[in-house]
Amino acid sequence: MDTFFLIESVVKIFTMIAAVMGLATILTWVERKQSAVMQDRIGANRADIFGIRIIGLFQPFADAIKMITKEDYIPPFGNKVLHMIAPAIAYIPVMLLFAVIPMGPPLEIGGRIVNTQIANIDIGLLFIFAFGGIAVYGAVIGGWASNNKYALIAAIRTSAQMISYEVCLGLSLIGAIMIYGTVDLSQMIAEQSGHWFGWIPRWGIFIQPLGALLFIPAAIAENKRIPFDLPEAESEIIGYYTEYSGLKGGLFMMTEFIEMVLISALFSVIFLGGWNVPWLEYNGFNFPWGGTWTLNIWVVKGMQFGAYFLKVAVLIYFFTLVRWTLPRFRYDQVMRLGWRYLFPLALINLLITGIAVVLFA
Amino acid sequence: MEKRVRELKVDYGPAENIYWVEVLKGLWITNRHFMVNMWRHILHALRIKAEKGAVTFQYPEEHRPIHHRWRGRHRLTVKQNGAMRCTACMMCETICPDECIHIVPGESPDPNVEKFPEEFYVDALRCCFCGLCAEACPLDAIRLDVIEPEICGFTRDIIFNKEFLMGLNNDRPWEEWYIENKTDSKEK
């Protein structure tokens, strides 16, 4: 435990929290604006500071002021303590998951290699499964402690849906784990650098297309967003946060956005090669048709950071697109999709991957 | 018994049953809308002439073009000497289905006229713009005109008083006003 390590860790933690919370704040704006543009509308653009409105970017501040100044209502006859801590139980595990998500390529500073993960632990993906499993408790406890029928129904739906799709989520990734032979996320990205036949990038989506296809619905279901938003279902039951007002309800909402960042980062790390750019190596671009474009090492690192961010941003765009396009499933449809289609398909994917790994490795 | 409910039978093909194909089609439609609208918004931001990226009218700043047969703004007409035509006969207040007209009658200063309204209020939030008041008025004292009422603006002063209603203080026919303020949808 030396000083360098301490400073490095503190800087990484603050960078990560700032990046994630900033992204989640901007996502409230992105969600409004993207849905508006998709539906030929304009979207929230009235919030201004001294008459300046930069296309509604001040809306998150207005939201924050509204939430902070709202009455903090605790329903009588409910469990007050659990009602208070349920948003934190939902929020903290999701934030903890970012400890193992890499922010970019490893850097070399002063002769030392600095990993851009906060915690460079070997069990990366298992850590994510473990704490992702805890995240369900926040919603369930919050719904139960509210002493509200609709919140309780939502809590029951949450527990059923989240536990079902946890299985599919895990199984859809096991194929990738078998091929990479590791659960450490930065190790996974390292496995995906390089090319097949000199020109196809070795990204996970090319060897695990079915796994990637199964990961997306399972991840959206874990994220509790449309078309799997039965825990919320604003139009039928209001959701497990019916009785939450002010910043506590806002924390549940923020958790949803942070989870969206999380699954986008996870998908880009496991299936899209993380920060790998096709044909970009440590010395610059090596094109398959023979050309070489030599670049400074810091330019290469910057491009890799940019590529990683771009992948996450495109995935967030895609998930928001899905959320504003598809209608909500019925409850039995969700369960049927999860157990009768996704689960067997994930098992088939596992079988094929296993055979391929035994034959070719 | 006659079957009164018509059953809707839809033959789903294989593409609909697989569901993924239809999902991708739907995503393609919304994505196309986003891309086209975003492109138009960017062109607008760069001051390049393009089609509107959204169908929204930004209301208090930007008004919808109104049709020339629109009747949306109450107006009390005056005589040539500037006095009100209204004699507070209460016909409009009586016929008003929304009870949005409220008149306080008083003795007129003009010896030839018996009564006149000391106060005349129209609550535009209650009004359904049926035009029955204008129809009931025996003296053509109240009219509904082509002007758009500022009901949902920022101020929300929507209980019109006598001075406001006489504000368009003239006895012109609406056509003249309309020619001055061309707001017909055909003109755009």
Side-chain angles (χ1 to χ4, degrees):
Chain A
M1 184 74 82
D2 54 337
T3 337
F4 187 85
F5 180 73
L6 263 181
I7 293 169
E8 179 198 320
S9 302
V10 169
V11 167
K12 279 193 289 196
I13 289 168
F14 275 101
T15 316
M16 192 52 136
I17 291 177
V20 170
M21 292 308 288
L23 256 179
T25 312
I26 292 171
L27 275 186
T28 62
W29 173 80
V30 167
E31 176 126 334
R32 282 201 178 97
K33 278 299 195 184
Q34 189 183 333
S35 65
V37 175
M38 273 165 59
Q39 298 166 355
D40 303 347
R41 297 184 286 115
I42 285 180
N45 64 348
R46 293 276 158 176
D48 63 74
I49 293 178
F50 304 121
I52 304 164
R53 17 165 127 153
I54 26 173
I55 50 174
L57 265 175
F58 291 127
Q59 194 66 35
F61 297 103
D63 283 344
I65 291 167
K66 185 198 87 171
M67 279 173 181
I68 290 166
T69 52
K70 248 180 151 178
E71 183 195 356
D72 184 17
Y73 180 71
I74 298 171
F77 312 118
N79 191 323
K80 290 194 178 69
V81 178
L82 287 180
H83 185 269
M84 293 278 278
I85 63 171
I89 297 176
Y91 172 77
I92 290 170
V94 180
M95 273 315 268
L96 275 180
L97 296 185
F98 281 95
V100 293
I101 301 269
M103 280 180 276
L107 302 170
E108 204 177 323
I109 299 170
R112 298 176 59 139
I113 291 181
V114 178
N115 273 308
T116 44
Q117 275 164 308
I118 292 171
N120 190 16
I121 49 178
D122 295 338
I123 55 160
L125 209 51
L126 299 181
F127 183 86
I128 284 174
F129 287 147
F131 278 93
I134 290 178
V136 65
Y137 283 107
V140 174
I141 290 174
W144 178 77
S146 301
N147 185 34
N148 181 317
K149 286 171 199 162
Y150 297 112
L152 184 64
I153 292 170
I156 292 166
R157 284 182 179 187
T158 312
S159 56
Q161 177 185 318
M162 299 268 285
I163 291 166
S164 306
Y165 278 83
E166 195 93 19
V167 178
C168 305
L169 190 75
L171 281 176
S172 67
L173 293 184
I174 295 225
I177 295 173
M178 282 162 74
I179 285 174
Y180 303 140
T182 175
V183 286
D184 184 0
L185 290 174
S186 39
Q187 203 65 42
M188 275 185 172
I189 298 173
E191 290 279 330
Q192 291 175 72
S193 57
H195 305 88
W196 289 300
F197 315 120
W199 62 279
I200 304 177
R202 291 171 66 98
W203 290 359
I205 195 162
F206 296 120
I207 28 173
Q208 280 287 316
L210 188 57
L213 201 66
L214 296 174
F215 177 82
I216 289 171
I220 296 175
E222 280 297 297
N223 200 354
K224 303 193 284 286
R225 281 168 73 84
I226 289 173
F228 299 97
D229 73 328
L230 290 137
E232 293 169 32
E234 296 103 338
S235 50
E236 35 182 285
I237 56 175
I238 300 107
Y240 54 87
Y241 46 66
T242 306
E243 295 288 342
Y244 282 92
S245 58
L247 217 49
K248 284 194 279 188
L251 201 56
F252 275 126
M253 200 184 75
M254 283 306 264
T255 310
E256 199 181 292
F257 286 118
I258 293 168
E259 274 179 359
M260 199 159 73
V261 179
L262 178 88
I263 59 171
S264 304
L266 212 56
F267 190 86
S268 69
V269 164
I270 295 169
F271 293 110
L272 293 181
W275 56 80
N276 285 314
V277 184
W279 314 318
L280 183 67
E281 280 159 35
Y282 64 94
N283 62 344
F285 279 104
N286 295 319
F287 295 113
W289 51 88
T292 306
W293 183 21
T294 316
L295 291 167
N296 185 354
I297 183 73
W298 288 104
V299 176
V300 170
K301 294 282 184 200
M303 286 175 90
Q304 286 174 336
F305 270 107
Y308 185 49
F309 183 79
L310 189 73
K311 283 170 190 174
V312 172
V314 169
L315 283 166
I316 286 173
Y317 168 78
F318 175 74
F319 285 125
T320 314
L321 191 71
V322 170
R323 186 243 179 278
W324 286 97
T325 302
L326 301 179
R328 185 187 308 129
F329 282 117
R330 227 167 41 220
Y331 187 63
D332 60 321
Q333 288 172 332
V334 168
M335 285 296 133
R336 197 190 308 147
L337 181 72
W339 286 110
R340 282 175 56 184
Y341 298 105
L342 294 190
F343 181 63
L345 279 174
L347 285 180
I348 290 168
N349 182 39
L350 204 59
L351 186 73
I352 296 169
T353 314
I355 293 170
V357 167
V358 168
L359 287 183
F360 296 112
Chain B
M1 193 182 150
E2 195 191 348
K3 206 175 181 183
R4 301 185 68 177
V5 179
R6 191 165 59 89
E7 276 183 30
L8 193 66
K9 277 191 180 159
V10 185
D11 268 336
Y12 289 121
E16 282 92 350
N17 273 327
I18 290 173
Y19 182 73
W20 292 101
V21 183
E22 295 298 309
V23 165
L24 289 179
K25 271 190 198 168
L27 286 175
W28 171 247
I29 289 171
T30 46
N31 183 45
R32 192 186 64 212
H33 267 258
F34 180 85
M35 291 300 173
V36 169
N37 289 334
M38 204 63 220
W39 175 241
R40 285 175 184 169
H41 284 309
I42 290 168
L43 286 184
H44 274 286
L46 298 175
R47 303 276 184 275
I48 298 170
K49 252 181 112 75
E51 255 183 273
K52 272 184 87 173
V55 294
T56 315
F57 288 94
Q58 305 260 336
Y59 171 62
E61 295 102 28
E62 186 189 1
H63 286 235
R64 281 181 94 88
I66 49 176
H67 196 258
H68 68 275
R69 297 185 64 179
W70 167 277
R71 295 285 178 276
R73 165 74 147 75
H74 308 76
R75 162 181 148 198
L76 289 176
T77 52
V78 292
K79 293 180 209 160
Q80 279 185 344
N81 63 359
M84 289 178 78
R85 273 179 186 249
C86 181
T87 54
C89 68
M90 302 289 183
M91 290 282 230
C92 50
E93 189 177 335
T94 312
I95 203 165
C96 182
D98 303 324
E99 300 176 4
C100 66
I101 299 176
H102 179 60
I103 302 171
V104 179
E107 203 172 320
S108 172
D110 189 347
N112 297 326
V113 183
E114 194 181 333
K115 290 200 293 178
F116 91 117
E118 281 185 349
E119 293 295 339
F120 196 113
Y121 293 110
V122 173
D123 186 344
L125 269 192
R126 298 193 63 153
C127 182
C128 71
F129 305 100
C130 59
L132 283 175
C133 47
E135 213 165 295
C137 185
L139 291 167
D140 192 22
I142 185 165
R143 286 182 184 175
L144 282 155
D145 265 351
V146 240
I147 309 162
E148 198 176 349
E150 283 281 342
I151 291 182
C152 316
F154 284 125
T155 55
R156 312 224 165 183
D157 281 338
I158 24 84
I159 298 181
F160 303 150
N161 57 13
K162 193 169 77 176
E163 286 71 33
F164 184 82
L165 289 167
M166 288 164 67
L168 303 168
N169 210 354
N170 50 46
D171 215 354
R172 289 186 300 168
W174 65 266
E175 289 89 350
E176 263 179 50
W177 187 91
Y178 169 67
I179 289 161
E180 271 178 28
N181 306 276
K182 275 182 186 166
T183 46
D184 197 347
S185 49
K186 283 176 231 156
E187 301 281 334
K188 285 234 161 179

